Amino acid sequence: MKKTTKKLGLALAFLFALSTLIVGCGSQGSTSAPATTQTAAPATNASVASASTAQTLKPYEIIFAYPGDETKDMKAVQDAMSKITQEKISATIKLMPISWSAWAQQTTLMIAGGEKIDAIFTSNYFNYDSVVAKGELLPIEDLLKKYGQDITKTVEPDLLNCSGIGGHLYAVPSMRDFAADFGVALRKDIVDKYGIDTSKIKTYADLTDVFKLVKEKEPGMMPLVKGDDTTTFVEQTISGTFDRLDNWFGVLPMASGDMKVVDMYETKEYSDALNLVRGWFTAGYISKDVATSKEQGVDIVKSGKGFAMLVPMKPGAELRWSNPCATEMLCLRFTPPITNTSNIANVMTSISKTTGDADRTMMFLNLMYSDKDLVNLYDNGVENLDYVKTSDTAIDYPTGLSAANTGYPSNNWMVGNNFLSYIWKGDDPNLWTKMSDFNKSSVRSKALGFSFNVDPVKTEVAAVANVQSQYKMGLETGTLDPAKVLPEFVSKLKAAGLEKIITEKQTQLDAWAAAK
Amino acid sequence: MKNGKLFNIFIGVVVLFVSSACILPFVLLFISSITDENTIIQYGYSFFPHKLSLAAYGYIMTHASNIFRAYGITVFITAVGTAVSLIITSMLAYPLSRKDLPGNKVFTFLVFFTVLFSGGLVPAYLVYTHLINVKNSLLGLIVPMLLMNGFYVLIMRTFFSSIPKSLIESANLDGAGELRIFASIIIPLSLPVMATVGLFVCINYWNDWFNGMIFLTDSKLYSIQNYLNRILLDIDFLNKNNVSSSQAEILARIPKETVRMALAVIGVVPILIAYPFFQKYFAKGLTVGAIKG
């Protein structure tokens, strides 16, 4: 007995020795890279300060990581981009696409492992706030002042501030459709066939009669199918009413005059929306398995089994929805365009903490907001290889190529000032002007620029999200009866700590408003 | 006699049900993959579809060169990985099975410990990328997580201990060294366990997409599972997000439901073909392990 314990002790000791060895290697690896960056940064700082012309800058390779796939012409695009940046900021570009499926995991590991990345795509879709909390990104407000004049000129301060967390900015949003309006897309042939007067349809409730008609006249067709996998009918109908403040747990009513965070699940608007959708469901306007079905709405419409979808709109939404449905869709908009922090923080670019030269990376980002040629290269590829110009602002695929076999699929939403890029044939020739007007005309949430820091109430948010995922799909698709289930839902949310989240959110929002 | 016949029929029926429960999903998978996309959306999945179509395979064939390349990579890493893994696993397991190895218990415990605990993803990543740089190389698909598994070492060790000591002693008396004993006596006697562990390792390599996801950014090195996974997620992603009208046009043409099925068929077929060759060893290996405990 004594012998075995002695042996066990020996084994454990050996093990600990081994583990310290491994940990030692690991931590050494992770710290060594940032350390070199820290020593490298001041050196280039000095060189920038001493001479502002590009020629005197040390050559540098900027690695730009973004989600996507390697494409045939990527090397050509990279070389052409490098040529421009070489001349202007003495740097070359290395594009590093990482597939969407691996993005979150790989970038986290790469940055934790100290691998060099300079510019990096960020999005609240990939949990921007926790990426910042982990310290993967550099604060950029000083760099913006020094090298980002074109960015601050292009992106309004209110929009730029949307990337702010804890008083620092960590990202710049790309120029695209910042606002979203909400409504319904209907099959035009059916609307025409029964002479439905769409000018009379002003609210979601007005759709009931239309659905009734379609249900009676077209027995094989489901009047309403879902727009996408994740957004429920109710979520679509109330998106114009509330600013979700990142996660729907405590929301700001768009119409209210003060900054009071409320529990959306207890509002009249929410229960009205539930009742409306529940009415549609019991009347058979929505398929019975909608809460669990994985079928896409566009596919159902395309196969002739669906009539309408509740979807987000934007300029060009008609084309956006008509194409995949393979039939002309009529888009009715029920809300004015609305801008909130979530819309902006959807697509941004940041500087990774593992950058070797933060200054130069910011100069590159700045060019993406001002250099038309560079933006077009990244967005649309190389001229005459991936596109041909049909006019000064419009482009089309070269003969023999199409969207299906192009060597560089268009990417005109991800980085920089996309309004500088050419417009594809088939899109509205004035797409960017329209989009810019659309953004300007939008109603801005009073909390635009505020992002919620989940850290203090992490546990509660996780618990509340659990409760939410249990009820949300059932309730918000009309599958469950709100009269019975809503009170249960609300009380469970409270038990999980929703009130604590709301109080915390209110405190943060007040502090943010005061600082503003 | 009559009773026995009845019993046989009863067993036959039960086995028939169980085996169809295993086979029918594959049949449905295959039939769905050659069903017309719209038929699936309108009538649901069916063993007797209204309309057949090869559109899904047609879509996959547009990626044919990449798919064959990925297949080549998978076959390569599976072959090399399995061979190397068997060699080093057996060479670790054999000494552990010998009672006369000094510190035998300690080493066995170390191996056993890795079965229960792992270092976690980030430390593993750091070790693999900093100590041995496996990033964007075939090593990244072969070495991490898959090459060695403590559990398989323990299985082999148990099997090796069941080989009579007198065999080793007599070989020793005849003048064979340790390596000779291992190669000429132990390995030929251990084919069942080699086949069993080999099959496990082989399937692990074949099905692995995680290493590719962690260690690869270069799509030229994607294994078939990485590649199929990526085609699927691309479709999903394009669906979920606001895309420009030109991308929406591509989307309209992709047969989504059926492509999923066709990809699964492509991914599973080679394993189905390889399995029968391993099967006889597989059954033997399991029973041997069971008796000896």
Side-chain angles (χ1 to χ4, degrees), chain A residues 15 69 100-102 105-106 109 113 115 299 302-303 320 403 427, chain B residues 42 110 121 125 130 135 213 216 230 233-234 237 245 250 252 256:
Chain A
L15 208 78
D69 290 311
W100 285 97
S101 49
Q105 198 114 41
Q106 263 191 1
L109 287 172
E115 282 168 54
D299 292 334
K302 186 178 153 200
S303 71
R320 159 71 180 96
D427 282 329
Chain B
Q42 279 180 326
L110 284 180
L121 186 57
Y125 180 85
H130 290 276
K135 195 110 207 254
M213 188 176 97
L216 295 187
R230 203 187 76 185
L233 285 162
D234 276 2
F237 176 76
S245 56
I250 315 180
K256 288 156 231 153

PDB file of all heavy atoms in Angstrom, chain A residues 15 69 100-102 105-106 109 113 115 299 302-303 320 403 427, chain B residues 42 110 121 125 130 135 213 216 230 233-234 237 245 250 252 256:
ATOM      1  N   LEU A  15       4.430  14.233 -13.613  1.00  0.00           N
ATOM      2  CA  LEU A  15       3.378  14.847 -14.418  1.00  0.00           C
ATOM      3  C   LEU A  15       3.407  16.368 -14.305  1.00  0.00           C
ATOM      4  O   LEU A  15       3.316  17.089 -15.301  1.00  0.00           O
ATOM      5  CB  LEU A  15       2.048  14.339 -13.890  1.00  0.00           C
ATOM      6  CG  LEU A  15       0.969  14.300 -14.942  1.00  0.00           C
ATOM      7  CD1 LEU A  15       1.174  13.078 -15.806  1.00  0.00           C
ATOM      8  CD2 LEU A  15      -0.359  14.256 -14.273  1.00  0.00           C
ATOM      9  N   ASP A  69     -13.744  32.644 -48.913  1.00  0.00           N
ATOM     10  CA  ASP A  69     -12.954  31.546 -49.428  1.00  0.00           C
ATOM     11  C   ASP A  69     -11.959  32.046 -50.445  1.00  0.00           C
ATOM     12  O   ASP A  69     -12.177  33.043 -51.113  1.00  0.00           O
ATOM     13  CB  ASP A  69     -13.863  30.499 -50.058  1.00  0.00           C
ATOM     14  CG  ASP A  69     -14.662  29.782 -49.005  1.00  0.00           C
ATOM     15  OD1 ASP A  69     -14.040  29.342 -48.026  1.00  0.00           O
ATOM     16  OD2 ASP A  69     -15.887  29.700 -49.136  1.00  0.00           O
ATOM     17  N   TRP A 100     -16.019  30.835 -43.563  1.00  0.00           N
ATOM     18  CA  TRP A 100     -17.008  31.273 -42.575  1.00  0.00           C
ATOM     19  C   TRP A 100     -17.156  30.264 -41.459  1.00  0.00           C
ATOM     20  O   TRP A 100     -17.293  30.615 -40.293  1.00  0.00           O
ATOM     21  CB  TRP A 100     -18.369  31.466 -43.257  1.00  0.00           C
ATOM     22  CG  TRP A 100     -18.437  32.687 -44.076  1.00  0.00           C
ATOM     23  CD1 TRP A 100     -18.250  32.766 -45.429  1.00  0.00           C
ATOM     24  CD2 TRP A 100     -18.728  34.020 -43.643  1.00  0.00           C
ATOM     25  NE1 TRP A 100     -18.398  34.066 -45.837  1.00  0.00           N
ATOM     26  CE2 TRP A 100     -18.695  34.841 -44.775  1.00  0.00           C
ATOM     27  CE3 TRP A 100     -19.010  34.575 -42.399  1.00  0.00           C
ATOM     28  CZ2 TRP A 100     -18.931  36.213 -44.704  1.00  0.00           C
ATOM     29  CZ3 TRP A 100     -19.247  35.933 -42.333  1.00  0.00           C
ATOM     30  CH2 TRP A 100     -19.198  36.742 -43.473  1.00  0.00           C
ATOM     31  N   SER A 101     -17.099  28.991 -41.843  1.00  0.00           N
ATOM     32  CA  SER A 101     -17.355  27.944 -40.859  1.00  0.00           C
ATOM     33  C   SER A 101     -16.264  27.919 -39.786  1.00  0.00           C
ATOM     34  O   SER A 101     -16.517  27.577 -38.651  1.00  0.00           O
ATOM     35  CB  SER A 101     -17.419  26.593 -41.562  1.00  0.00           C
ATOM     36  OG  SER A 101     -16.305  26.438 -42.420  1.00  0.00           O
ATOM     37  N   ALA A 102     -15.029  28.279 -40.175  1.00  0.00           N
ATOM     38  CA  ALA A 102     -13.923  28.159 -39.229  1.00  0.00           C
ATOM     39  C   ALA A 102     -13.560  29.491 -38.589  1.00  0.00           C
ATOM     40  O   ALA A 102     -12.707  29.551 -37.723  1.00  0.00           O
ATOM     41  CB  ALA A 102     -12.706  27.581 -39.937  1.00  0.00           C
ATOM     42  N   GLN A 105     -13.402  30.217 -34.523  1.00  0.00           N
ATOM     43  CA  GLN A 105     -12.424  29.368 -33.870  1.00  0.00           C
ATOM     44  C   GLN A 105     -10.988  29.721 -34.293  1.00  0.00           C
ATOM     45  O   GLN A 105     -10.116  29.895 -33.462  1.00  0.00           O
ATOM     46  CB  GLN A 105     -12.724  27.933 -34.278  1.00  0.00           C
ATOM     47  CG  GLN A 105     -12.094  26.936 -33.388  1.00  0.00           C
ATOM     48  CD  GLN A 105     -13.145  26.155 -32.633  1.00  0.00           C
ATOM     49  OE1 GLN A 105     -14.165  25.789 -33.197  1.00  0.00           O
ATOM     50  NE2 GLN A 105     -12.939  25.922 -31.369  1.00  0.00           N
ATOM     51  N   GLN A 106     -10.793  29.821 -35.602  1.00  0.00           N
ATOM     52  CA  GLN A 106      -9.432  30.028 -36.085  1.00  0.00           C
ATOM     53  C   GLN A 106      -8.861  31.378 -35.676  1.00  0.00           C
ATOM     54  O   GLN A 106      -7.725  31.462 -35.232  1.00  0.00           O
ATOM     55  CB  GLN A 106      -9.376  29.887 -37.599  1.00  0.00           C
ATOM     56  CG  GLN A 106      -8.936  28.516 -38.007  1.00  0.00           C
ATOM     57  CD  GLN A 106      -8.618  28.407 -39.478  1.00  0.00           C
ATOM     58  OE1 GLN A 106      -8.704  29.384 -40.213  1.00  0.00           O
ATOM     59  NE2 GLN A 106      -8.269  27.231 -39.905  1.00  0.00           N
ATOM     60  N   LEU A 109      -7.889  31.427 -32.020  1.00  0.00           N
ATOM     61  CA  LEU A 109      -6.672  30.660 -31.759  1.00  0.00           C
ATOM     62  C   LEU A 109      -5.446  31.371 -32.313  1.00  0.00           C
ATOM     63  O   LEU A 109      -4.393  31.404 -31.677  1.00  0.00           O
ATOM     64  CB  LEU A 109      -6.789  29.274 -32.384  1.00  0.00           C
ATOM     65  CG  LEU A 109      -7.728  28.322 -31.656  1.00  0.00           C
ATOM     66  CD1 LEU A 109      -7.921  27.054 -32.450  1.00  0.00           C
ATOM     67  CD2 LEU A 109      -7.190  28.002 -30.277  1.00  0.00           C
ATOM     68  N   GLY A 113      -2.470  32.647 -30.168  1.00  0.00           N
ATOM     69  CA  GLY A 113      -1.167  32.058 -30.429  1.00  0.00           C
ATOM     70  C   GLY A 113      -0.149  33.055 -30.932  1.00  0.00           C
ATOM     71  O   GLY A 113       0.958  32.685 -31.280  1.00  0.00           O
ATOM     72  N   GLU A 115      -0.057  34.746 -33.689  1.00  0.00           N
ATOM     73  CA  GLU A 115       0.252  34.802 -35.121  1.00  0.00           C
ATOM     74  C   GLU A 115      -0.087  36.173 -35.684  1.00  0.00           C
ATOM     75  O   GLU A 115      -1.069  36.791 -35.286  1.00  0.00           O
ATOM     76  CB  GLU A 115      -0.539  33.718 -35.867  1.00  0.00           C
ATOM     77  CG  GLU A 115       0.088  32.364 -35.700  1.00  0.00           C
ATOM     78  CD  GLU A 115      -0.842  31.267 -36.180  1.00  0.00           C
ATOM     79  OE1 GLU A 115      -1.279  31.349 -37.328  1.00  0.00           O
ATOM     80  OE2 GLU A 115      -1.132  30.357 -35.390  1.00  0.00           O
ATOM     81  N   ASP A 299     -37.223  28.966 -50.772  1.00  0.00           N
ATOM     82  CA  ASP A 299     -37.375  27.709 -51.505  1.00  0.00           C
ATOM     83  C   ASP A 299     -38.845  27.325 -51.630  1.00  0.00           C
ATOM     84  O   ASP A 299     -39.275  26.790 -52.647  1.00  0.00           O
ATOM     85  CB  ASP A 299     -36.614  26.585 -50.796  1.00  0.00           C
ATOM     86  CG  ASP A 299     -35.116  26.794 -50.860  1.00  0.00           C
ATOM     87  OD1 ASP A 299     -34.664  27.457 -51.808  1.00  0.00           O
ATOM     88  OD2 ASP A 299     -34.417  26.313 -49.955  1.00  0.00           O
ATOM     89  N   LYS A 302     -40.376  29.495 -54.147  1.00  0.00           N
ATOM     90  CA  LYS A 302     -39.871  29.107 -55.464  1.00  0.00           C
ATOM     91  C   LYS A 302     -40.592  27.866 -55.991  1.00  0.00           C
ATOM     92  O   LYS A 302     -40.870  27.763 -57.182  1.00  0.00           O
ATOM     93  CB  LYS A 302     -38.369  28.822 -55.342  1.00  0.00           C
ATOM     94  CG  LYS A 302     -37.670  28.554 -56.652  1.00  0.00           C
ATOM     95  CD  LYS A 302     -36.181  28.350 -56.373  1.00  0.00           C
ATOM     96  CE  LYS A 302     -35.537  27.487 -57.414  1.00  0.00           C
ATOM     97  NZ  LYS A 302     -34.291  26.912 -56.935  1.00  0.00           N
ATOM     98  N   SER A 303     -40.926  26.937 -55.108  1.00  0.00           N
ATOM     99  CA  SER A 303     -41.581  25.720 -55.567  1.00  0.00           C
ATOM    100  C   SER A 303     -43.087  25.929 -55.742  1.00  0.00           C
ATOM    101  O   SER A 303     -43.817  24.991 -56.019  1.00  0.00           O
ATOM    102  CB  SER A 303     -41.327  24.583 -54.587  1.00  0.00           C
ATOM    103  OG  SER A 303     -42.038  24.807 -53.398  1.00  0.00           O
ATOM    104  N   ARG A 320     -33.465  41.563 -54.626  1.00  0.00           N
ATOM    105  CA  ARG A 320     -32.874  40.664 -53.644  1.00  0.00           C
ATOM    106  C   ARG A 320     -33.783  39.467 -53.395  1.00  0.00           C
ATOM    107  O   ARG A 320     -33.334  38.343 -53.234  1.00  0.00           O
ATOM    108  CB  ARG A 320     -32.608  41.444 -52.354  1.00  0.00           C
ATOM    109  CG  ARG A 320     -32.475  40.619 -51.085  1.00  0.00           C
ATOM    110  CD  ARG A 320     -31.181  39.833 -51.070  1.00  0.00           C
ATOM    111  NE  ARG A 320     -31.027  39.023 -49.873  1.00  0.00           N
ATOM    112  CZ  ARG A 320     -31.338  37.739 -49.791  1.00  0.00           C
ATOM    113  NH1 ARG A 320     -31.860  37.118 -50.816  1.00  0.00           N
ATOM    114  NH2 ARG A 320     -31.116  37.060 -48.675  1.00  0.00           N
ATOM    115  N   ALA A 403     -21.974  35.205 -62.556  1.00  0.00           N
ATOM    116  CA  ALA A 403     -21.846  35.122 -61.103  1.00  0.00           C
ATOM    117  C   ALA A 403     -21.461  33.711 -60.668  1.00  0.00           C
ATOM    118  O   ALA A 403     -20.817  33.524 -59.648  1.00  0.00           O
ATOM    119  CB  ALA A 403     -23.164  35.525 -60.453  1.00  0.00           C
ATOM    120  N   ASP A 427     -28.137  45.570 -60.893  1.00  0.00           N
ATOM    121  CA  ASP A 427     -28.472  46.381 -59.731  1.00  0.00           C
ATOM    122  C   ASP A 427     -28.931  47.757 -60.218  1.00  0.00           C
ATOM    123  O   ASP A 427     -28.686  48.143 -61.360  1.00  0.00           O
ATOM    124  CB  ASP A 427     -27.264  46.537 -58.806  1.00  0.00           C
ATOM    125  CG  ASP A 427     -27.036  45.292 -57.954  1.00  0.00           C
ATOM    126  OD1 ASP A 427     -28.029  44.627 -57.642  1.00  0.00           O
ATOM    127  OD2 ASP A 427     -25.876  45.005 -57.620  1.00  0.00           O
TER     128      ASP A 427
ATOM    129  N   GLN B  42     -42.048  20.141 -52.248  1.00  0.00           N
ATOM    130  CA  GLN B  42     -43.498  20.002 -52.368  1.00  0.00           C
ATOM    131  C   GLN B  42     -44.038  18.780 -51.647  1.00  0.00           C
ATOM    132  O   GLN B  42     -45.052  18.846 -50.964  1.00  0.00           O
ATOM    133  CB  GLN B  42     -43.897  19.939 -53.835  1.00  0.00           C
ATOM    134  CG  GLN B  42     -43.968  21.315 -54.458  1.00  0.00           C
ATOM    135  CD  GLN B  42     -44.356  21.256 -55.916  1.00  0.00           C
ATOM    136  OE1 GLN B  42     -44.005  20.328 -56.628  1.00  0.00           O
ATOM    137  NE2 GLN B  42     -45.082  22.246 -56.361  1.00  0.00           N
ATOM    138  N   LEU B 110       0.541   7.450 -16.950  1.00  0.00           N
ATOM    139  CA  LEU B 110       0.639   8.656 -17.783  1.00  0.00           C
ATOM    140  C   LEU B 110      -0.246   8.528 -19.021  1.00  0.00           C
ATOM    141  O   LEU B 110      -0.964   9.451 -19.389  1.00  0.00           O
ATOM    142  CB  LEU B 110       2.095   8.884 -18.214  1.00  0.00           C
ATOM    143  CG  LEU B 110       3.008   9.442 -17.146  1.00  0.00           C
ATOM    144  CD1 LEU B 110       4.410   9.629 -17.698  1.00  0.00           C
ATOM    145  CD2 LEU B 110       2.466  10.763 -16.622  1.00  0.00           C
ATOM    146  N   LEU B 121      -8.170  23.269 -25.764  1.00  0.00           N
ATOM    147  CA  LEU B 121      -7.916  23.617 -27.154  1.00  0.00           C
ATOM    148  C   LEU B 121      -6.780  24.624 -27.339  1.00  0.00           C
ATOM    149  O   LEU B 121      -5.883  24.417 -28.156  1.00  0.00           O
ATOM    150  CB  LEU B 121      -9.204  24.154 -27.779  1.00  0.00           C
ATOM    151  CG  LEU B 121      -9.123  24.435 -29.265  1.00  0.00           C
ATOM    152  CD1 LEU B 121      -8.705  23.190 -30.015  1.00  0.00           C
ATOM    153  CD2 LEU B 121     -10.445  24.926 -29.767  1.00  0.00           C
ATOM    154  N   TYR B 125      -3.359  24.057 -29.285  1.00  0.00           N
ATOM    155  CA  TYR B 125      -3.058  24.836 -30.488  1.00  0.00           C
ATOM    156  C   TYR B 125      -1.670  25.472 -30.380  1.00  0.00           C
ATOM    157  O   TYR B 125      -0.891  25.447 -31.323  1.00  0.00           O
ATOM    158  CB  TYR B 125      -4.125  25.911 -30.670  1.00  0.00           C
ATOM    159  CG  TYR B 125      -3.916  26.776 -31.887  1.00  0.00           C
ATOM    160  CD1 TYR B 125      -4.383  26.366 -33.131  1.00  0.00           C
ATOM    161  CD2 TYR B 125      -3.262  27.995 -31.804  1.00  0.00           C
ATOM    162  CE1 TYR B 125      -4.198  27.138 -34.248  1.00  0.00           C
ATOM    163  CE2 TYR B 125      -3.070  28.783 -32.917  1.00  0.00           C
ATOM    164  CZ  TYR B 125      -3.540  28.365 -34.136  1.00  0.00           C
ATOM    165  OH  TYR B 125      -3.350  29.136 -35.245  1.00  0.00           O
ATOM    166  N   HIS B 130       3.528  26.265 -32.216  1.00  0.00           N
ATOM    167  CA  HIS B 130       4.809  26.872 -31.851  1.00  0.00           C
ATOM    168  C   HIS B 130       5.933  25.853 -31.743  1.00  0.00           C
ATOM    169  O   HIS B 130       7.040  26.106 -32.181  1.00  0.00           O
ATOM    170  CB  HIS B 130       4.676  27.651 -30.535  1.00  0.00           C
ATOM    171  CG  HIS B 130       3.862  28.892 -30.688  1.00  0.00           C
ATOM    172  ND1 HIS B 130       4.395  30.073 -31.142  1.00  0.00           N
ATOM    173  CD2 HIS B 130       2.553  29.127 -30.484  1.00  0.00           C
ATOM    174  CE1 HIS B 130       3.452  30.983 -31.201  1.00  0.00           C
ATOM    175  NE2 HIS B 130       2.325  30.430 -30.817  1.00  0.00           N
ATOM    176  N   LYS B 135       0.884  24.369 -38.893  1.00  0.00           N
ATOM    177  CA  LYS B 135      -0.094  25.228 -39.553  1.00  0.00           C
ATOM    178  C   LYS B 135       0.036  25.139 -41.070  1.00  0.00           C
ATOM    179  O   LYS B 135       1.134  25.190 -41.606  1.00  0.00           O
ATOM    180  CB  LYS B 135       0.151  26.663 -39.099  1.00  0.00           C
ATOM    181  CG  LYS B 135      -0.998  27.571 -39.416  1.00  0.00           C
ATOM    182  CD  LYS B 135      -1.747  28.004 -38.196  1.00  0.00           C
ATOM    183  CE  LYS B 135      -3.145  28.316 -38.582  1.00  0.00           C
ATOM    184  NZ  LYS B 135      -3.474  29.698 -38.622  1.00  0.00           N
ATOM    185  N   MET B 213     -10.272  22.563 -39.757  1.00  0.00           N
ATOM    186  CA  MET B 213     -10.895  23.824 -39.384  1.00  0.00           C
ATOM    187  C   MET B 213      -9.961  24.672 -38.540  1.00  0.00           C
ATOM    188  O   MET B 213      -9.949  25.892 -38.637  1.00  0.00           O
ATOM    189  CB  MET B 213     -12.182  23.549 -38.628  1.00  0.00           C
ATOM    190  CG  MET B 213     -13.003  24.776 -38.363  1.00  0.00           C
ATOM    191  SD  MET B 213     -14.535  24.359 -37.571  1.00  0.00           S
ATOM    192  CE  MET B 213     -14.116  24.670 -35.894  1.00  0.00           C
ATOM    193  N   LEU B 216      -5.913  24.880 -40.847  1.00  0.00           N
ATOM    194  CA  LEU B 216      -5.753  25.214 -42.260  1.00  0.00           C
ATOM    195  C   LEU B 216      -6.434  26.528 -42.614  1.00  0.00           C
ATOM    196  O   LEU B 216      -7.565  26.775 -42.216  1.00  0.00           O
ATOM    197  CB  LEU B 216      -6.361  24.122 -43.145  1.00  0.00           C
ATOM    198  CG  LEU B 216      -5.738  22.744 -43.106  1.00  0.00           C
ATOM    199  CD1 LEU B 216      -6.369  21.872 -44.171  1.00  0.00           C
ATOM    200  CD2 LEU B 216      -4.250  22.812 -43.312  1.00  0.00           C
ATOM    201  N   ARG B 230     -17.578  22.822 -46.037  1.00  0.00           N
ATOM    202  CA  ARG B 230     -17.510  24.208 -46.474  1.00  0.00           C
ATOM    203  C   ARG B 230     -18.557  24.529 -47.534  1.00  0.00           C
ATOM    204  O   ARG B 230     -19.179  25.579 -47.483  1.00  0.00           O
ATOM    205  CB  ARG B 230     -16.118  24.496 -47.018  1.00  0.00           C
ATOM    206  CG  ARG B 230     -15.794  25.953 -46.975  1.00  0.00           C
ATOM    207  CD  ARG B 230     -14.506  26.219 -47.668  1.00  0.00           C
ATOM    208  NE  ARG B 230     -14.696  26.165 -49.093  1.00  0.00           N
ATOM    209  CZ  ARG B 230     -13.688  26.266 -49.957  1.00  0.00           C
ATOM    210  NH1 ARG B 230     -12.465  26.399 -49.543  1.00  0.00           N
ATOM    211  NH2 ARG B 230     -13.929  26.230 -51.236  1.00  0.00           N
ATOM    212  N   LEU B 233     -21.809  24.983 -45.635  1.00  0.00           N
ATOM    213  CA  LEU B 233     -21.910  26.200 -44.844  1.00  0.00           C
ATOM    214  C   LEU B 233     -21.973  27.428 -45.727  1.00  0.00           C
ATOM    215  O   LEU B 233     -22.607  28.420 -45.381  1.00  0.00           O
ATOM    216  CB  LEU B 233     -20.743  26.294 -43.872  1.00  0.00           C
ATOM    217  CG  LEU B 233     -20.931  25.342 -42.713  1.00  0.00           C
ATOM    218  CD1 LEU B 233     -19.640  25.095 -41.995  1.00  0.00           C
ATOM    219  CD2 LEU B 233     -21.964  25.880 -41.750  1.00  0.00           C
ATOM    220  N   ASP B 234     -21.304  27.358 -46.877  1.00  0.00           N
ATOM    221  CA  ASP B 234     -21.385  28.473 -47.814  1.00  0.00           C
ATOM    222  C   ASP B 234     -22.819  28.707 -48.235  1.00  0.00           C
ATOM    223  O   ASP B 234     -23.311  29.829 -48.233  1.00  0.00           O
ATOM    224  CB  ASP B 234     -20.560  28.172 -49.064  1.00  0.00           C
ATOM    225  CG  ASP B 234     -19.108  28.518 -48.854  1.00  0.00           C
ATOM    226  OD1 ASP B 234     -18.791  28.952 -47.736  1.00  0.00           O
ATOM    227  OD2 ASP B 234     -18.322  28.366 -49.796  1.00  0.00           O
ATOM    228  N   PHE B 237     -24.708  30.111 -45.382  1.00  0.00           N
ATOM    229  CA  PHE B 237     -24.365  31.481 -45.086  1.00  0.00           C
ATOM    230  C   PHE B 237     -24.974  32.446 -46.100  1.00  0.00           C
ATOM    231  O   PHE B 237     -25.550  33.459 -45.744  1.00  0.00           O
ATOM    232  CB  PHE B 237     -22.857  31.670 -45.038  1.00  0.00           C
ATOM    233  CG  PHE B 237     -22.511  33.091 -44.837  1.00  0.00           C
ATOM    234  CD1 PHE B 237     -22.649  33.630 -43.581  1.00  0.00           C
ATOM    235  CD2 PHE B 237     -22.187  33.905 -45.884  1.00  0.00           C
ATOM    236  CE1 PHE B 237     -22.417  34.962 -43.382  1.00  0.00           C
ATOM    237  CE2 PHE B 237     -21.956  35.235 -45.692  1.00  0.00           C
ATOM    238  CZ  PHE B 237     -22.070  35.764 -44.438  1.00  0.00           C
ATOM    239  N   SER B 245     -27.717  41.263 -55.494  1.00  0.00           N
ATOM    240  CA  SER B 245     -28.620  40.542 -56.381  1.00  0.00           C
ATOM    241  C   SER B 245     -27.877  39.516 -57.220  1.00  0.00           C
ATOM    242  O   SER B 245     -28.415  38.496 -57.588  1.00  0.00           O
ATOM    243  CB  SER B 245     -29.376  41.511 -57.273  1.00  0.00           C
ATOM    244  OG  SER B 245     -28.472  42.308 -57.973  1.00  0.00           O
ATOM    245  N   ILE B 250     -27.024  33.336 -57.987  1.00  0.00           N
ATOM    246  CA  ILE B 250     -26.344  32.050 -57.868  1.00  0.00           C
ATOM    247  C   ILE B 250     -27.150  31.138 -56.961  1.00  0.00           C
ATOM    248  O   ILE B 250     -27.354  29.971 -57.243  1.00  0.00           O
ATOM    249  CB  ILE B 250     -24.947  32.191 -57.214  1.00  0.00           C
ATOM    250  CG1 ILE B 250     -24.185  33.344 -57.797  1.00  0.00           C
ATOM    251  CG2 ILE B 250     -24.183  30.903 -57.283  1.00  0.00           C
ATOM    252  CD1 ILE B 250     -22.815  33.512 -57.169  1.00  0.00           C
ATOM    253  N   ALA B 252     -30.231  31.024 -56.322  1.00  0.00           N
ATOM    254  CA  ALA B 252     -31.464  30.500 -56.876  1.00  0.00           C
ATOM    255  C   ALA B 252     -31.198  29.217 -57.655  1.00  0.00           C
ATOM    256  O   ALA B 252     -32.075  28.400 -57.828  1.00  0.00           O
ATOM    257  CB  ALA B 252     -32.106  31.542 -57.782  1.00  0.00           C
ATOM    258  N   LYS B 256     -30.435  23.096 -52.941  1.00  0.00           N
ATOM    259  CA  LYS B 256     -29.863  23.012 -51.598  1.00  0.00           C
ATOM    260  C   LYS B 256     -30.099  21.703 -50.876  1.00  0.00           C
ATOM    261  O   LYS B 256     -29.176  21.060 -50.395  1.00  0.00           O
ATOM    262  CB  LYS B 256     -30.405  24.157 -50.744  1.00  0.00           C
ATOM    263  CG  LYS B 256     -29.812  25.476 -51.148  1.00  0.00           C
ATOM    264  CD  LYS B 256     -30.692  26.631 -50.761  1.00  0.00           C
ATOM    265  CE  LYS B 256     -30.908  27.517 -51.942  1.00  0.00           C
ATOM    266  NZ  LYS B 256     -32.131  28.266 -51.923  1.00  0.00           N
TER     267      LYS B 256
END
